[in-house]
Amino acid sequence: MAAGVIRSLSQGLRRIAPFGSRLYSDEARTVTLIPGDGIGPEISAAVQEIFAAASAPIKWETSDVTAIKGPGGKYIIPPEAQESMNRNKIGLKGPLKTPVGKGHPSMNLLLRKTFQLYANVRPCKSIEGYKTPYTDVDLVTIRENTEGEYSGIEHMIVDGVVQSIKLITEPASRKVAEFAFDFARAQGRDTVTAVHKANIMRMSDGLFLRCCREVAEEYKDIKFEEMYLDTVCLNMVQDPTQFDVLVMPNLYGDILSDLCAGLIGGLGVTPSGNIGADGVAIFESVHGTAPDIAGKDLANPTALLLSAVMMLRHLGLHDHARRIETAAFETIKEGKALTGDLGGKAKCSDFTREVSQKVQEIE
Amino acid sequence: MAAVWQKCSVLCRSLPATAAAKAFSRSAAPCSLQVRDFHSGAGRCYSQQLATVGASSKYGGRYTVTMIPGDGIGPELMGHVKDIFRYAGVPVDFEEVQITSQEGDEEAIENAITAIKRNGVALKGGLKTLHLDPSFGVSRNVAVRVRLDLFANVLRCKTFPGLPSRHGDIDIVIIRENTEGEYTSLEHENVPGVVESYKIITARNSNRIARYAFEYAQRHGRKKVTAVHKANIMKMGDGLFLECCRKMSEEFPDIQYESMIIDNCSMQMVSRPQQFDVMVMPNLYGNIISNIGAGLVGGPGLVPGENIGEQYAVFETATRNTGKSIAGQNVANPTAMLLASALMLEHLGLDKYAGLIENAVYKALAENKIRTPDLGGQHSTVDMVQTIVKEVEAQADKM
């Protein structure tokens, strides 16, 4: 009973203040910045420079999340970093490397567990000036990030027979569906498509679909569609313009989000955000640490920059987001200051300077 | 049987063939390696044994093949296949078995499976799974594949000459494990709201599909096999699959072997598909990559697929769509089903007729430029079929 009351209260509150937006605050927002490893520090510095040029109301609080051994002997994120994140709620993260060695878990997995990051959001928009065989791509993939095929529960039943368990639960499916519809509403998108394979996995994907359908009832202003995973893949490579927001369980999300990143040019230009419990959101670049070019001012900050733009949109700072994004796209379109991975010869600092100049010129 | 097949291959090689058909020709030199077959230690190489599997139902010089029209566009396309076979004088009779999603009984599926077992070879349309209906059992397509142990799903995604595409020249063979993995339909809900679904990977099936893939590559002169997996996350399951592929690669030192994680693979497929040659993978990833591959070369209406087992073979379209929304409107693209029927004819050893039909189809696409709506044109199914029939009639006279 009480749970029902609280639930409808929180739903009501969500309608007044859409998830992720700050309507009335105009003072600078403090954001945790995690530069990361390899090219991480230089691209983070580039983003900070561009934000300063755009006069974005963001204060940066740098933090290091390199895992340390906690009191129980298990690896944890350093308490200062955790505390900074929990206080600021919003974070921007560069690429992290996972040291190879027994027992050290994947850093991304650790972050996900620590902050209960349940949804991974990747907007994929074609970049004018970076030619790929696909133009006019403008879609967002939202992937459930805690369960599904990645539960890690596997057994060897008898020698030579392995069983991997895919776990789908109602609370997690509902949570990610609600986030997807909230996101669509906040960002002004029309359609949410649930991607599934319920013809084969009747109960598990059936449950996921049912949750999506029930949540769709509460968001009558957003169109809801369902499509098989294979049909989505088939149609995606022929005509990606037919998709808007896609929501799906873990494995399909992993594959589809990388597929869509491939459509627009790869992980070097794709932004990404992770939404967690209690309003925590960590935006990140999904490429690697590129140790071979680290420290040489050759890195491309586009992915981290676009993730930072995503962060601004999440905070409701749409105007600043638009200006910085337009400046970045125009710089790439002009083609004069492109880094090596985009086919040019410019340095990271050249690219950063160009974008900073442009952003000051844009209204 | 082998002797007849050999004779047909010789005949085929001496016939003039258009450049397009030559490029697509499946007949290859029989493998010269004396490799043990999968279970015992003797015999021809495994995939060569399977190349003519099921071609047993021959009587009076004519073959009998089971035909399952299925749902959606299946029935109309099967009608066109029969017409074209008649015009070409193909010595194949079809035994039709009706199972559709409307008939809910198990008996219909049993009859279909018995018919396929009897004839050994089948041509099949898609069967819709009513996933919203809780009383509807397991997907009938999956039931057919698992019951007949059609362990390999093979499809070739090759750029069609004359058809514009975003990606230039692609020629990828996708070999997908067809019976286990995520398609076992083993699910339960122990606690309300918590569903567990089992993905099963076995060494036996992984070895079988890996062997098939490498031998296929060898038989058809392909250079590289890529194993697609997600072993960084599913360490035991996909790890087992990967290990089986790696061990198998050691028996084929002349074929290059590499492995790739499924998400990176999807990204590479849309940015640089030319890097792939033969790909082998478990069931679900195969579903994804097949659809990406088919989409890259032109869509679901073009690519045929085959399901090969140790005793039976079933031919259908690669992406297995039922096309319910365009059923009965005369707009479906018959290419995929016709090319699937040609693959079936090759499997039966009727290479001559297979080549006849394939050439006619490629000619209709490349030279006559017939474009059904899925290819962005206005032609109808019948337009395409009539063009093919004209070509078939003209060429059949010369045979």
Side-chain angles (χ1 to χ4, degrees):
Chain A
M1 160 77 188
V5 170
I6 291 172
R7 204 174 129 69
S8 46
L9 258 179
S10 68
Q11 273 177 352
L13 276 174
R14 253 206 300 279
R15 286 198 183 99
I16 301 171
F19 187 74
S21 74
R22 298 286 179 269
L23 297 173
Y24 304 115
S25 158
D26 50 19
E27 54 182 59
R29 251 322 275 274
T30 313
V31 157
T32 304
L33 175 67
I34 302 161
D37 308 307
I39 54 172
E42 40 197 302
I43 54 176
S44 305
V47 169
Q48 284 174 299
E49 193 184 313
I50 294 169
F51 268 51
S55 317
I58 302 284
K59 269 210 302 267
W60 305 98
E61 193 179 291
T62 311
S63 212
D64 181 18
V65 295
T66 314
I68 56 169
K69 258 219 160 90
K74 284 168 81 168
Y75 280 94
I76 56 163
I77 308 269
E80 316 84 53
Q82 279 192 44
E83 195 234 326
S84 162
M85 201 61 201
N86 285 327
R87 195 178 352 107
N88 296 328
K89 300 290 185 194
I90 308 293
L92 184 67
K93 169 178 117 22
L96 292 175
K97 76 164 190 272
T98 297
V100 177
K102 286 206 174 25
H104 200 295
S106 145
M107 284 307 308
N108 290 315
L109 188 61
L110 202 53
L111 276 170
R112 200 177 312 140
K113 287 226 152 79
T114 311
F115 299 108
Q116 294 162 63
L117 304 173
Y118 66 89
N120 177 249
V121 186
R122 269 204 216 166
C124 293
K125 191 159 173 203
S126 279
I127 299 178
E128 220 181 320
Y130 188 41
K131 275 237 139 306
T132 62
Y134 299 91
T135 54
D136 298 330
V137 181
D138 187 6
L139 54 88
V140 181
T141 59
I142 298 178
R143 157 194 176 189
E144 200 291 322
N145 217 1
T146 59
E147 53 176 28
E149 298 82 348
Y150 292 19
S151 50
I153 311 169
E154 295 186 291
H155 317 101
M156 184 161 287
I157 309 179
V158 292
D159 205 19
V161 178
V162 174
Q163 148 193 316
S164 305
I165 300 186
K166 162 178 164 166
L167 205 61
I168 298 279
T169 63
E170 195 174 332
S173 307
R174 192 175 287 281
K175 216 164 162 187
V176 78
E178 277 169 356
F179 173 74
F181 280 95
D182 277 333
F183 179 89
R185 197 178 259 170
Q187 305 294 332
R189 320 277 308 199
D190 316 301
T191 315
V192 170
T193 308
V195 181
H196 65 99
K197 264 212 89 59
N199 52 343
I200 303 295
M201 285 173 261
R202 307 285 292 284
M203 288 176 77
S204 40
D205 283 358
L207 175 59
F208 181 82
L209 255 191
R210 216 170 42 244
C211 295
C212 289
R213 253 181 240 136
E214 283 167 21
V215 171
E217 291 297 310
E218 298 164 23
Y219 292 80
K220 291 280 194 216
D221 50 328
I222 312 274
K223 183 164 170 231
F224 174 66
E225 281 177 356
E226 307 168 5
M227 214 186 248
Y228 288 144
L229 171 65
D230 40 8
T231 313
V232 171
C233 289
L234 188 57
N235 292 344
M236 184 73 78
V237 298
Q238 295 182 276
D239 180 23
T241 59
Q242 58 187 283
F243 296 105
D244 195 355
V245 176
L246 299 162
V247 64
M248 59 210 109
N250 215 335
L251 177 69
Y252 314 151
D254 192 8
I255 298 170
L256 264 183
S257 57
D258 276 4
L259 177 65
C260 298
L263 296 176
I264 61 166
L267 297 180
V269 293
T270 308
S272 171
N274 296 291
I275 311 298
D278 291 330
V280 167
I282 304 184
F283 299 87
E284 59 176 356
S285 57
V286 285
H287 53 70
T289 53
D292 47 333
I293 55 167
K296 295 183 186 161
D297 196 20
L298 293 172
N300 181 1
T302 306
L304 193 63
L305 184 62
L306 291 178
S307 303
V309 163
M310 217 179 132
M311 179 186 77
L312 288 173
R313 291 213 162 96
H314 183 86
L315 291 169
L317 297 164
H318 294 284
D319 204 45
H320 289 96
R322 181 190 53 86
R323 285 170 50 217
I324 296 175
E325 193 185 41
T326 314
F329 284 173
E330 275 189 20
T331 309
I332 297 176
K333 190 165 148 195
E334 248 181 29
K336 285 192 294 183
L338 295 180
T339 44
D341 60 314
L342 293 179
K345 294 203 183 45
K347 290 195 168 309
C348 177
S349 42
D350 296 333
F351 181 83
T352 312
R353 207 177 324 117
E354 268 300 311
V355 179
S356 307
Q357 265 175 359
K358 283 211 164 41
V359 81
Q360 286 170 334
E361 292 161 14
I362 298 174
E363 284 307 307
Chain B
M1 195 55 242
V4 173
W5 187 69
Q6 288 273 9
K7 272 211 182 96
C8 282
S9 312
V10 169
L11 243 161
C12 211
R13 270 192 282 268
S14 61
L15 271 180
T18 63
K22 246 198 199 131
F24 274 77
S25 168
R26 273 176 80 239
S27 32
C31 77
S32 53
L33 254 190
Q34 290 299 315
V35 179
R36 69 197 174 286
D37 91 45
F38 184 64
H39 297 295
S40 73
R44 294 172 296 156
C45 73
Y46 189 49
S47 69
Q48 192 172 2
Q49 283 178 316
L50 297 183
T52 51
V53 114
S56 52
S57 189
K58 188 174 175 187
Y59 187 72
R62 295 182 69 81
Y63 290 92
T64 308
V65 166
T66 307
M67 176 183 268
I68 302 175
D71 300 314
I73 51 175
E76 58 192 89
L77 293 183
M78 292 300 186
H80 295 308
V81 168
K82 284 196 283 202
D83 283 340
I84 291 175
F85 273 30
R86 207 176 57 241
Y87 280 104
V90 177
V92 165
D93 296 314
F94 287 109
E95 182 190 339
E96 268 189 56
V97 181
Q98 299 292 346
I99 5 166
T100 64
S101 55
Q102 308 308 318
E103 274 142 65
D105 52 274
E106 291 302 309
E107 211 187 305
I109 309 164
E110 281 309 313
N111 289 342
I113 292 178
T114 311
I116 303 177
K117 283 185 174 171
R118 179 172 55 244
N119 295 322
V121 173
L123 188 65
K124 177 177 160 295
L127 297 165
K128 189 121 193 86
T129 302
L130 303 175
H131 68 264
L132 297 171
D133 179 0
S135 64
F136 194 91
V138 155
S139 155
R140 277 138 195 223
N141 302 305
V142 175
V144 167
R145 279 171 232 143
V146 172
R147 293 277 303 275
L148 298 170
D149 199 24
L150 305 171
F151 69 91
N153 178 229
V154 183
L155 55 122
R156 187 169 175 196
C157 298
K158 187 163 160 47
T159 311
F160 279 72
L163 270 186
S165 114
R166 288 181 221 257
H167 290 279
D169 283 327
I170 305 174
D171 188 357
I172 307 174
V173 175
I174 297 168
I175 297 179
R176 158 190 179 185
E177 206 293 323
N178 213 8
T179 56
E180 58 175 24
E182 298 81 350
Y183 285 54
T184 50
S185 303
L186 294 169
E187 299 180 294
H188 52 249
E189 191 169 0
N190 281 336
V191 172
V194 177
V195 176
E196 284 186 352
S197 171
Y198 287 18
K199 162 178 165 166
I200 309 287
I201 300 277
T202 61
R204 175 182 177 266
N205 288 341
S206 304
N207 278 324
R208 200 165 55 158
I209 195 71
R211 180 172 295 286
Y212 185 87
F214 278 96
E215 287 186 351
Y216 184 100
Q218 199 162 55
R219 243 163 70 75
H220 295 264
R222 314 286 294 211
K223 304 279 181 317
K224 182 167 80 165
V225 170
T226 307
V228 180
H229 65 98
K230 189 87 190 160
N232 52 338
I233 302 290
M234 284 175 259
K235 297 190 164 69
M236 286 177 80
D238 284 356
L240 175 59
F241 178 83
L242 201 59
E243 186 55 25
C244 291
C245 290
R246 194 194 57 75
K247 280 217 193 80
M248 194 62 63
S249 72
E250 289 167 5
E251 291 184 33
F252 297 83
D254 47 333
I255 310 251
Q256 191 194 341
Y257 168 71
E258 67 173 13
S259 65
M260 202 181 268
I261 300 184
I262 174 69
D263 38 2
N264 186 24
C265 186
S266 314
M267 214 174 350
Q268 299 292 329
M269 287 282 280
V270 294
S271 39
R272 217 170 42 94
Q274 296 79 8
Q275 62 182 289
F276 296 109
D277 193 353
V278 175
M279 300 168 79
V280 64
M281 60 206 86
N283 218 332
L284 182 70
Y285 312 148
N287 184 225
I288 295 168
I289 301 288
S290 308
N291 277 271
I292 297 177
L296 290 177
V297 299
L302 294 176
V303 187
E306 43 189 333
N307 303 283
I308 308 285
E310 290 179 13
Q311 293 169 286
Y312 314 108
V314 174
F315 298 85
E316 55 180 353
T317 64
T319 48
R320 305 157 167 179
N321 304 86
T322 49
K324 260 230 140 85
S325 55
I326 52 170
Q329 295 171 25
N330 192 21
V331 295
N333 190 340
T335 305
M337 195 57 85
L338 287 171
L339 290 179
S341 68
L343 284 177
M344 180 195 75
L345 292 175
E346 275 189 59
H347 187 86
L348 292 172
L350 299 168
D351 289 29
K352 213 167 44 171
Y353 296 103
L356 179 64
I357 293 176
E358 278 175 4
N359 288 348
V361 170
Y362 300 139
K363 188 153 179 256
L365 287 171
E367 290 178 27
N368 304 96
K369 302 230 183 293
I370 307 286
R371 301 277 181 270
T372 40
D374 63 309
L375 297 175
Q378 300 292 330
H379 290 111
S380 67
T381 315
V382 169
D383 289 336
M384 177 94 177
V385 171
Q386 281 174 346
T387 313
I388 294 171
V389 162
K390 261 209 296 267
E391 177 66 19
V392 159
E393 278 188 311
Q395 296 300 325
D397 291 338
K398 300 180 190 164
M399 276 190 6

